[in-house]
Amino acid sequence: MLKSLHVKNYVLIDSLDIDFPEGLVIITGQTGAGKSIMIGALALVSGAKADPSSIAVGADSCVVEAEFDMGEADAFLRSTVEAGDVEWDGGRLIVRRVINRSGRSRAFINDCPVSIQVLSSVSSHLLDIHSQHQTLLLSDRGFQLKMLDSFAGNAAVLEEFGKSWERFNGLKADLKSITDSISRSLAEKEYNEALFRQLDEARLRSGEMEELEEEQKKLANAEDIKSALCSIESAFEGDMNGDSGSVSSTLKGIQRNLDRLSSFIGEASSFSSRVESCRLELDDIYSGISEINSSIDVSPERLQTVEARISLIYGLMQRHSCHSVGELIALRDSLRTSISGLSELQEKKESLEKQLCEAEKEMKARSDALSKSRLEAAPSLSAAIQEKLHFLELPLAVFRIDVLPAGISSLGQDSVMFRFSSTGKDPADVARCASGGELSRIMLSLKAVMSRFYKMPTMIFDEIDTGVSGSVADRMGSLICEMGNYMQVFAITHLPQVAAKGSVHYLVSKTVDPVSSQAETTIKKLSGEQRVLEVARMLSGSTLTEAAIANAKALLKG
């Protein structure tokens, strides 16, 4: 229930703090006094769009804060609150909305910042604002289906069906994706196989290009290299037929002479060792150069083969936009996987088709269960609403809820049509045959039935009695009063018959400051004689008569 409301700087409300009791709360006031302002304030804490023009003149922001006491029993509301990262606090919820001149707004629940989506979701369990235009919902098939499901207690069945629906559509999307992939793979198969064969036949090897380029350099310059190496070898070997010997034999002679001198000169021995080391090192160098020289092949045929291989690899790199042999190898392996993966895709498709078939059977079974529940509940809800309509002085009224087959959707395989006839003959779609007053009575009857059997949020009726008068208005007041026995109900009304039914009565009024000419809307609780005079005003207008006062007292005594 709504325990209290605090409003600051909202439209014509400078500051308002008011507490509300349980049961039926009546709110009245003259036309233009500001009753709609209260509805607007409550709509803000329900997640309505913020409008900076609603901020009072001279203020930078406005604040609307509502306190609710929902008790510990509402497990579904608690889960909704906690899903928004808000502390439950024993069912006490303080909902606050702050709007700035910039148009930005902030929302809080129990002082925790929340998004407008979370605020709307939570508030939908706290408040149901029924305006005089909400009767248009009666022609909305979604609203009709929702009411029938609520009456039938289909929340759990709907949740299970919703899971099946999501699973079915998820598998359906996966199957489509796999099927598209297979189609693409089949279309590209021949092309990919040709590319793979070309790369596979190339017998590519990592690091091959660097080796080929190195070999190509040697082969292209083989004669120059061979000539230089031969000259070096000749220098090492010396003129074997002339006077000069090889470098090694010359160093050996030097070493022998140093060894003879060592018996006379001590340093000669160390020089001999050093010469020996140099000789051994030069012998090793000579051996390496000879080996290189013998390996150099002056072969135009091999050069042609290497250059052809390089040209092949460069051509493949250019064709496939690769920068290295490694990238070509990766592309080849990818093509191999793609070609071999087609069979894997086919296997996955077959598996998904089986899962989809099972999911469809499960979804259909749950949809059938949902339809059965709706078909069983429709006559009971129809009868209950029809009974209320007879009470509201439509004695011949017929109200029928038809559950019709429809294409399967997230709400099942049914659509619902509310049919109505005020004469008892040929009930037709309520959207096409009911007048404004009849729509008001149908909506009130529907909500009266729902309030009796199902936990509902605080109900706010904003002039639902528009278009009715006399004894019908009195009976509407009785019906709203009856709802107040099961839940908290606010009735904003112009009818004295309705106003007299409430357990508590508030008056909305507007005053104008004579100095600043600024208007201000206030609300106060009426008691005793004040309430009698307000009901009398509603009966007779601005001029109160003794008859009106007497009539008001009689209405209030009930």
Side-chain angles (χ1 to χ4, degrees), residues 16-21 25-26 503-508 522-528 530-531:
L16 172 67
D17 285 285
I18 190 166
D19 297 325
F20 298 110
V25 178
I26 298 296
S503 55
V504 63
H505 190 150
Y506 292 88
L507 175 65
V508 177
T522 58
I523 181 170
K524 67 176 182 178
K525 183 179 178 180
L526 301 179
S527 59
Q530 292 176 325
R531 188 173 185 191

Side-chain angles (χ1 to χ4, degrees), residues 116-185:
I116 296 300
Q117 289 76 15
V118 170
L119 178 70
S120 299
S121 178
V122 171
S123 295
S124 66
H125 300 285
L126 305 176
L127 285 174
D128 183 352
I129 301 176
H130 181 103
S131 68
Q132 48 189 303
H133 302 294
Q134 200 191 29
T135 52
L136 296 174
L137 282 173
L138 283 172
S139 61
D140 183 278
R141 297 297 173 81
F143 175 79
Q144 295 174 4
L145 189 61
K146 181 180 178 181
M147 289 297 100
L148 179 58
D149 281 331
S150 295
F151 182 83
N154 284 338
V157 184
L158 268 170
E159 184 178 0
E160 290 303 312
F161 171 76
K163 292 177 181 176
S164 297
W165 169 260
E166 288 180 5
R167 179 169 179 264
F168 172 78
N169 282 283
L171 288 169
K172 192 174 180 181
D174 290 344
L175 180 60
K176 183 181 184 304
S177 177
I178 288 291
T179 303
D180 290 345
S181 295
I182 290 173
S183 297
R184 287 194 300 270
S185 295

Side-chain angles (χ1 to χ4, degrees), residues 30-50:
Q30 295 185 1
T31 301
K35 299 186 294 298
S36 60
I37 295 177
M38 281 196 59
I39 296 296
L42 289 169
L44 276 180
V45 295
S46 297
K49 184 178 179 180

Side-chain angles (χ1 to χ4, degrees), residues 326-343:
E327 289 184 19
L328 284 174
I329 292 172
L331 175 61
R332 179 199 65 195
D333 294 343
S334 175
L335 288 168
R336 178 189 287 119
T337 302
S338 175
I339 294 167
S340 62
L342 186 58
S343 59

Side-chain angles (χ1 to χ4, degrees), residues 292-313:
I292 293 173
N293 192 16
S294 63
S295 69
I296 296 298
D297 184 14
V298 181
S299 172
E301 294 80 8
R302 177 58 185 168
L303 176 61
Q304 187 177 0
T305 300
V306 169
E307 288 181 340
R309 180 68 175 171
I310 291 174
S311 178
L312 170 66
I313 294 175

Side-chain angles (χ1 to χ4, degrees), residues 335-539:
L335 288 168
R336 178 189 287 119
T337 302
S338 175
I339 294 167
S340 62
L342 186 58
S343 59
E344 295 177 7
L345 287 175
Q346 292 284 11
E347 291 175 5
K348 191 170 183 180
K349 180 186 176 184
E350 292 173 5
S351 174
L352 280 172
E353 285 173 339
K354 291 179 181 178
Q355 293 179 57
L356 186 65
C357 183
E358 293 170 0
E360 187 174 19
K361 289 179 181 177
E362 179 187 89
M363 180 180 68
K364 186 66 169 62
R366 289 177 174 172
S367 180
D368 289 342
L370 193 56
S371 292
K372 181 181 177 182
S373 176
R374 288 165 175 168
L375 286 166
E376 291 174 351
S380 298
L381 180 56
S382 300
I385 293 173
Q386 184 170 292
E387 181 184 348
K388 297 295 183 186
L389 290 173
H390 291 170
F391 175 76
L392 294 175
E393 298 191 2
L394 288 173
L396 300 177
V398 173
F399 187 86
R400 191 177 78 217
I401 299 175
D402 289 346
V403 179
L404 307 170
I408 196 161
S409 70
S410 60
L411 297 176
Q413 60 190 23
D414 311 303
S415 68
V416 167
M417 179 181 288
F418 284 6
R419 294 186 181 273
F420 171 76
S421 170
S422 60
T423 63
K425 297 179 181 179
D426 302 323
D429 186 350
V430 69
R432 297 166 52 190
C433 66
S435 66
E438 288 167 345
L439 286 173
S440 292
R441 281 180 266 187
I442 293 171
M443 181 62 87
L444 179 58
S445 298
L446 175 61
K447 294 202 171 182
V449 171
M450 301 301 289
S451 70
R452 179 75 181 270
F453 300 103
Y454 303 98
K455 185 174 181 63
M456 295 182 70
T458 293
M459 189 78 68
I460 300 175
F461 288 109
D462 183 15
E463 300 183 9
I464 191 176
D465 43 32
T466 298
V468 297
S469 59
S471 59
V472 176
D474 182 65
R475 293 198 171 207
M476 289 185 78
S478 297
L479 205 55
I480 292 173
C481 185
E482 180 185 327
M483 293 176 66
N485 294 327
Y486 307 104
M487 60 185 293
Q488 186 185 42
V489 179
F490 287 75
I492 299 173
T493 182
H494 284 294
L495 294 180
Q497 297 94 327
V498 176
K501 301 293 183 181
S503 55
V504 63
H505 190 150
Y506 292 88
L507 175 65
V508 177
S509 58
K510 182 166 66 175
T511 58
V512 178
D513 189 309
V515 178
S516 64
S517 298
Q518 291 291 327
E520 182 180 356
T521 292
T522 58
I523 181 170
K524 67 176 182 178
K525 183 179 178 180
L526 301 179
S527 59
E529 189 65 21
Q530 292 176 325
R531 188 173 185 191
V532 172
L533 293 176
E534 173 60 12
V535 174
R537 180 197 65 76
M538 296 174 74
L539 285 164

